[in-house]
Amino acid sequence: MESEIRNLGIVISSICYCYFASGSLPSGKWRLASLLPILCIFALIPLYTTSTFFTGVSAFFLTWLANFKLLLFAFDRGPIAATPKAKSLPIFIAMVALPFKLKSKKSQSIRKPKFLPLNLATEIPISVAILSALCSHKERFHYNNLLILYCCLLFLLVDILVGVPTLIIGATSGLDLETASDEPYLSTSVREFWGRRWNLAVNEILREAVYRPVLSAAEGKQWAAAMAVFAVSGLMHEILLWYVTRASPSWEMSMFFVVQGGFVVVELCVNWKKGNWVRRLVGWLVTVGFVVGTSFWLFFPPLIRNGVDVRLLGEFEFAVEKGREIGLSLGFDFLRKSN
């Protein structure tokens, strides 16, 4: 835990440097040059964490998202440059370090009810229940059932990891923020799943940093821009996996995203549209089957083979035990003082 506290101090100091030093420079090569040391620091921080969970989170938040945001900021692009409130230091720090997405004017005007009542109040206890079941009975689950639970847990944990800072920043800053995801399990196409519903904060960064520049360079060829986005996403997931495992890459994670991109290109070529309810039902079945099936084939095997799931479950058990000890200690202290 000491290393995590030290890393937090380094992160805040580094972002303050970006705000005061880099932010005072004109956009372009000089601002980019001033940001290069910070990009290196954010790439090194996951190497100095003591747990699998914090390694993954720091690599996701800093090495990937924060570095991409700062690269965009170097050229006055992306969410930081587009947000007037980012001129405030606390909001600047939050926008660099945390994954959240500002609501667009279009989404601000649309308030649709959720199909499933999933929010932080329900997702956290469901996640705890699944983790507890896995800790106690993992060996009893059939492999495919285990992977289904991992799919559910991955969705819930990503929603929680992005949803908690979104809730806090939204409540304290007055910024109108998107939810972490927009019910991706309702997608009727793979393009809709990745492009409009899953992990909206990452979606926005990849659109600004990869999709639009490639689309412009490729003279409007959507298939080229889409494949570039999935190739970059696959590479970043491969890097995140390396941080967590320190094992030689098998490139299965990269292949998973390349395959997703290939299917999206097919959808673009056939101009797939929702249509009537039969077409939507077929689209939903194909989308869920394809995304879940390819995750069974390519996404989860390298995680399981390198013991990432086992280590994360062990850390969850350790955290629960420590929480129980602290709770008992506080309870005894309270009873002793009350007597």
Side-chain angles (χ1 to χ4, degrees):
M1 185 57 71
E2 289 181 7
S3 62
E4 277 71 28
I5 295 173
R6 182 197 63 223
N7 288 341
L8 179 61
I10 293 172
V11 169
I12 293 175
S13 301
S14 298
I15 299 176
C16 287
Y17 162 84
C18 297
Y19 179 82
F20 290 109
S22 302
S24 64
L25 297 173
S27 61
K29 60 182 180 181
W30 294 116
R31 186 183 291 180
L32 176 62
S34 72
L35 290 170
L36 290 178
I38 306 304
L39 302 182
C40 294
I41 289 172
F42 285 176
L44 290 172
I45 280 180
L47 300 175
Y48 296 92
T49 54
T50 56
S51 78
T52 299
F53 177 78
F54 284 116
T55 298
V57 170
S58 61
F60 175 44
F61 283 16
L62 301 175
T63 308
W64 183 356
L65 295 186
N67 276 353
F68 274 44
K69 290 177 194 175
L70 290 176
L71 285 171
L72 290 168
F73 174 65
F75 300 96
D76 258 347
R77 294 178 52 214
I80 300 172
T83 307
K85 286 191 176 184
K87 293 179 180 178
S88 159
L89 177 59
I91 293 180
F92 184 89
I93 292 172
M95 292 199 72
V96 173
L98 299 174
F100 54 81
K101 179 187 175 185
L102 294 168
K103 277 190 176 180
S104 64
K105 291 181 180 179
K106 181 179 179 181
S107 60
Q108 285 175 351
S109 62
I110 300 174
R111 300 284 181 179
K112 55 181 180 180
K114 281 195 168 188
F115 182 76
L116 293 178
L118 289 177
N119 50 45
L120 290 176
T122 54
E123 288 171 344
I124 291 174
I126 292 172
S127 299
V128 171
I130 294 175
L131 285 166
S132 300
L134 288 170
C135 288
S136 303
H137 310 292
K138 179 173 177 285
E139 66 283 351
R140 299 182 185 178
F141 288 104
H142 185 276
Y143 182 71
N144 287 338
N145 293 334
L146 188 66
L147 292 181
I148 291 172
L149 284 177
Y150 284 174
C151 283
C152 296
L153 195 57
L154 178 64
F155 162 69
L156 292 169
L157 291 180
V158 169
D159 242 34
I160 292 168
L161 279 174
V162 179
V164 169
T166 295
L167 179 66
I168 295 171
I169 299 303
T172 56
S173 69
L175 293 172
D176 198 5
L177 305 177
E178 293 276 13
T179 55
S181 296
D182 183 17
E183 300 192 285
Y185 42 82
L186 297 180
S187 302
T188 57
S189 70
V190 176
R191 183 185 180 192
E192 181 185 7
F193 179 91
W194 294 110
R196 293 192 290 274
R197 288 188 178 271
W198 173 255
N199 209 342
L200 300 178
V202 174
N203 185 299
E204 177 191 35
I205 297 302
L206 288 173
R207 182 180 288 112
E208 287 288 335
V210 183
Y211 184 83
R212 287 176 179 166
V214 173
L215 187 67
S216 177
E219 300 178 344
K221 294 183 177 66
Q222 284 186 299
W223 67 266
M227 285 305 300
V229 166
F230 281 100
V232 170
S233 181
L235 178 61
M236 294 311 300
H237 279 83
E238 203 75 56
I239 292 171
L240 298 188
L241 180 63
W242 178 82
Y243 276 117
V244 171
T245 64
R246 312 291 165 85
S248 299
S250 64
W251 303 109
E252 291 162 280
M253 196 73 74
S254 296
M255 185 56 65
F256 170 78
F257 286 96
V258 170
V259 168
Q260 305 301 308
F263 201 98
V264 168
V265 170
V266 171
E267 290 180 341
L268 287 171
C269 291
V270 301
N271 195 24
W272 174 265
K273 294 181 180 178
K274 291 183 179 181
N276 58 30
W277 71 269
V278 176
R279 196 176 179 86
R280 290 197 298 273
L281 177 61
V282 171
W284 177 76
L285 291 171
V286 170
T287 299
V288 172
F290 180 77
V291 173
V292 172
T294 50
S295 72
F296 283 19
W297 171 37
L298 293 168
F299 188 89
F300 289 110
L303 294 171
I304 295 171
R305 187 168 57 247
N306 289 288
V308 176
D309 58 334
V310 174
R311 295 205 299 274
L312 286 173
L313 291 175
E315 290 176 5
F316 172 74
E317 285 187 294
F318 177 79
V320 169
E321 186 59 34
K322 281 294 180 183
R324 185 181 293 115
E325 290 178 6
I326 292 171
L328 288 173
S329 176
L330 292 174
F332 285 136
D333 287 345
F334 176 78
L335 289 174
R336 190 163 49 248
K337 289 176 182 179
S338 63
N339 291 332

